[in-house]
Amino acid sequence: MATGNIFSKTTQALFYNYKQLPIQRMLDFDFLCGRETPSVAGIINPGSEGFQKLFFGQEEIAIPVHPSIEAACAAHPTADVFINFASFRSAAASSMSALKQPTIRVVAIIAEGVPESDTKQLIAYARSNNKVILGPATVGGIQAGAFKIGDTAGTIDNIIACKLYRPGSVGFVSKSGGMSNEMYNTIARVTNGIYEGIAIGGDVFPGSTLSDHVLRFNNIPQVKMMVVLGELGGTDEYSLVEALKEGKVNKPVVAWVSGTCARLFKSEVQFGHAGAKSGGDMESAQGKNQALKEAGAVVPDSFEAFEAVIKETFQKLVEEGKIDPVTEVTPPQIPEDLNIAIKSGKVRAPTHIISTISDDRGEEPCYAGVPMSTIIEKGYGVGDVISLLWFKRSLPRYCTQFIEICVMLCADHGPCVSGAHNTIVTARAGKDLVSSLVSGLLTIGPRFGGAIDDAARYFKDACDRGLTPYEFVEGMKKKGIRVPGIGHRIKSRDNRDKRVQLLQKYAHTHFPSVKYMEYAVQVETYTLSKANNLVLNVDGAIGSLFLDLLAGSGMFTKAEIDDIVDIGYLNGLFVLARSIGFIGHTFDQKRLKQPLYRHPWEDVLYAK
């Protein structure tokens, strides 16, 4: 066990099992104390690597994350405190691993309920290797103005109220972390404050004892008096009694053992901590208080008198000239986190993203205001989900079914079209699913599958202006623009595209109006007079029919329809649908274990 200071203003720690709030509280305390370097050197998250962003005052810093204790200790050889936030199930193993590292001197075990047999092994190893354990079931410890562990002393407001940003003259040790916070406040009211405070932990077998730390405090020149808060149960306080009787402590010790109310109960009572159990007279609070008093500690008659006795002891030391006045300093202002400031109404900040189609902040996600449970309970289909996320409204069933038909009909068109070919070649090159999918999607454009928006745009403009098919087609020809949605490499007047026929049949049956589709058919009649393959293709059919869907549903204004076409919603249908096919081709090539593709020489014209 250490014989003097275990912390200083340059102490750095390794934090096991990332917890944002206690780490940030440590860094805020660092800033409050005027430390030059952050007290957290590294974070250990088993299996993870990288960095975690936190604040050191106004500055945002990146603290390295290591996958193992060994890696962290090697990377930060000057970090000698190990703060273990592992659960009680794994705390013992990780703590033992840390104790075995030559760079680690102090291990704080936050978890309570660590198996007692494991704790005994940790204690034995630590004592034989001159190392310090705080806990299990501890909040940690603090050296005022220098270093603190995790959530010790609570919020920044409490730390400032207790003047823990600068050292005082009192060494404090307790079993309870919660009561430590109370006592820091009490001591700050009646003395010049804490020099060091330790919570040894409330489990039956703490890694270090009350007397261990009192003896340390006795060797620290800055500590002029000690305050000890014990509790009923166990015999830990008697080691302090022996130390006092043997004259090992030559500074005033003010002590109180809580739990005197246990005698009011007829049977044995278990208090908050595992070790706080009323047993025989020796383990009772009264028995311990009496023993401490007889050994020379200053013990009040009740907890209510504890503060007054601390004040009296401190004042006596001041009068004897053993305590010099502490120079008060004004701690710096800790910058307030933006989210806290916004909630308190102190600031307003612009958002970075606007979203109107979904919301995941409640108990369940919502699509355009419709809860996920409603979507499932009402049997919504993919078309309904698309209508909510793309068009922000629930379209009639005939509309959503049309969307689904478009997706089904456009999902694939064989392995020879450019998008599928690219996907197949990429998959056979050993690339992953996303890479293969994207290589196919990147071919979608004016010449392949990307003409739906243009078809809708030109058909709508011509129809709305009352152009005859002749005027429309010849006008496009003069501009050097091919009519989108017209023409096919394989299909012709005598070999119609079945997909187009199916879409037209559905629209005639369910749509209230097919004005734009009829116009597209009139254009087709004219273009077929020029060439046998200038038929209405699937792009033109979907483009014109979608115009009829939007206009006929009565749910969209003219401006909204124009926006939908201009933004590219309709091409989105083809992208969505064809993704299904591209994914299928990727899986097909992987399943067949096809080798790298190489285009055959005989299929290439090597021109001079």
Side-chain angles (χ1 to χ4, degrees), residues 211 215 235-249 282 291-292 294-296:
S211 61
L215 292 172
T235 59
D236 186 18
E237 288 79 2
Y238 289 99
S239 62
L240 176 56
V241 169
E242 292 304 312
L244 289 167
K245 285 182 177 180
E246 293 171 7
K248 294 180 180 179
V249 181
M282 189 176 181
L292 286 164
E294 292 173 356

Side-chain angles (χ1 to χ4, degrees), residues 6-188:
I6 56 175
F7 306 132
S8 71
K9 206 163 185 172
T10 59
T11 295
Q12 285 195 298
L14 297 175
F15 197 102
Y16 187 89
N17 197 16
Y18 176 70
K19 306 287 182 187
Q20 190 269 340
L21 184 57
I23 296 178
Q24 188 58 64
R25 283 181 168 177
M26 289 179 66
L27 298 175
D28 287 344
F29 180 73
D30 296 342
F31 181 73
L32 200 68
C33 299
R35 282 184 58 126
E36 294 183 1
T37 55
S39 60
V40 180
I43 298 165
I44 303 163
N45 249 10
S48 300
E49 290 186 85
F51 293 88
Q52 284 288 351
K53 295 193 301 179
L54 294 121
F55 283 100
F56 186 60
Q58 193 76 37
E59 180 186 0
E60 195 169 24
I61 61 173
I63 297 181
V65 178
H66 303 281
S68 68
I69 295 170
E70 293 77 10
C73 290
H76 309 284
T78 59
D80 57 6
V81 177
F82 182 81
I83 302 172
N84 194 345
F85 265 75
S87 71
F88 72 91
R89 287 177 290 272
S90 60
S94 48
S95 295
M96 182 61 80
S97 178
L99 286 170
K100 290 181 178 179
Q101 302 303 311
T103 55
I104 298 298
R105 294 187 307 108
V106 180
V107 172
I109 306 171
I110 309 303
E112 60 179 306
V114 175
E116 293 175 5
S117 59
D118 292 340
T119 302
K120 289 178 181 179
Q121 291 180 26
L122 292 171
I123 293 171
Y125 186 89
R127 290 196 178 279
S128 64
N129 288 274
N130 197 32
K131 299 197 176 188
V132 179
I133 295 177
L134 304 181
T138 182
V139 72
I142 185 169
Q143 183 173 319
F147 176 84
K148 90 177 185 89
I149 291 173
D151 293 316
T152 301
T155 65
I156 287 296
D157 289 341
N158 188 64
I159 287 170
I160 293 174
C162 298
K163 299 180 180 179
L164 294 169
Y165 50 84
R166 52 94 176 132
S169 302
V170 180
F172 172 78
V173 61
S174 167
K175 287 186 176 181
S176 168
M179 285 304 298
S180 294
N181 288 350
E182 294 294 328
M183 290 306 301
Y184 294 152
N185 208 298
T186 298
I187 292 169

Side-chain angles (χ1 to χ4, degrees), residues 46 49 72 89 103 149 178 216 233 236 321 326 336 419 470 498 503-504 524 598-599:
E49 290 186 85
R89 287 177 290 272
T103 55
I149 291 173
R216 276 199 313 105
D236 186 18
V326 171
E336 194 167 31
Y470 169 81
K498 189 68 176 178
L503 289 168
Q504 290 174 330
E524 178 193 46
R598 192 179 194 281
H599 203 71

Side-chain angles (χ1 to χ4, degrees), residues 16 25 71-72 89 97 111 121 230 251 280 299 303 356 377 380 407 433 435 456 464 498 515 521 530-531 566:
Y16 187 89
R25 283 181 168 177
R89 287 177 290 272
S97 178
Q121 291 180 26
K251 297 176 182 179
V299 181
F303 181 76
T356 64
E377 289 165 5
Y380 283 12
V407 171
L433 171 62
S435 300
D464 289 349
K498 189 68 176 178
K515 178 181 73 171
V521 170
K530 293 177 167 288
D566 289 341

Side-chain angles (χ1 to χ4, degrees), residues 495-513:
N495 179 26
R496 297 301 182 105
D497 192 328
K498 189 68 176 178
R499 298 174 299 172
V500 173
Q501 293 175 331
L502 290 169
L503 289 168
Q504 290 174 330
K505 180 180 179 181
Y506 181 86
H508 276 299
T509 305
H510 297 91
F511 283 21
S513 170

Side-chain angles (χ1 to χ4, degrees), residues 376-391:
I376 301 302
E377 289 165 5
K378 291 191 174 181
Y380 283 12
V382 172
D384 298 288
V385 172
I386 291 173
S387 77
L388 292 172
L389 291 177
W390 291 17
F391 303 105

Side-chain angles (χ1 to χ4, degrees), residues 391-552:
F391 303 105
K392 292 174 55 181
R393 63 205 76 188
S394 289
L395 295 174
R397 183 56 189 151
Y398 78 85
C399 295
T400 60
Q401 193 170 356
F402 176 77
I403 292 172
E404 292 172 3
I405 291 171
C406 290
V407 171
M408 290 187 287
L409 294 180
C410 295
D412 194 51
H413 201 196
C416 297
V417 296
S418 58
H421 180 80
N422 265 24
T423 297
I424 290 169
V425 171
T426 306
R428 289 176 61 166
K431 302 292 284 186
D432 59 277
L433 171 62
V434 174
S435 300
S436 302
L437 171 62
V438 169
S439 71
L441 291 175
L442 288 174
T443 64
I444 296 176
R447 297 183 182 181
F448 171 64
I452 301 176
D453 284 316
D454 282 342
R457 187 177 298 112
Y458 284 114
F459 282 146
K460 183 177 186 300
D461 177 70
C463 183
D464 289 349
R465 288 196 293 137
L467 297 180
T468 65
Y470 169 81
E471 292 171 331
F472 171 51
V473 174
E474 296 304 323
M476 294 287 282
K477 184 178 179 181
K478 287 180 180 179
K479 296 175 184 176
I481 303 172
R482 294 181 179 181
V483 178
I486 295 290
H488 202 285
R489 292 192 65 183
I490 298 173
K491 302 300 178 181
S492 64
R493 182 201 309 270
D494 303 316
N495 179 26
R496 297 301 182 105
D497 192 328
K498 189 68 176 178
R499 298 174 299 172
V500 173
Q501 293 175 331
L502 290 169
L503 289 168
Q504 290 174 330
K505 180 180 179 181
Y506 181 86
H508 276 299
T509 305
H510 297 91
F511 283 21
S513 170
V514 287
K515 178 181 73 171
Y516 291 106
M517 185 193 75
E518 289 176 346
Y519 184 77
V521 170
Q522 293 172 18
V523 171
E524 178 193 46
T525 301
Y526 179 74
T527 55
L528 281 173
S529 67
K530 293 177 167 288
N532 202 37
N533 70 328
L534 294 181
V535 293
L536 183 67
N537 59 36
V538 73
D539 291 349
I542 293 176
S544 59
L545 285 172
F546 228 101
L547 292 173
D548 288 324
L549 181 151
L550 297 170

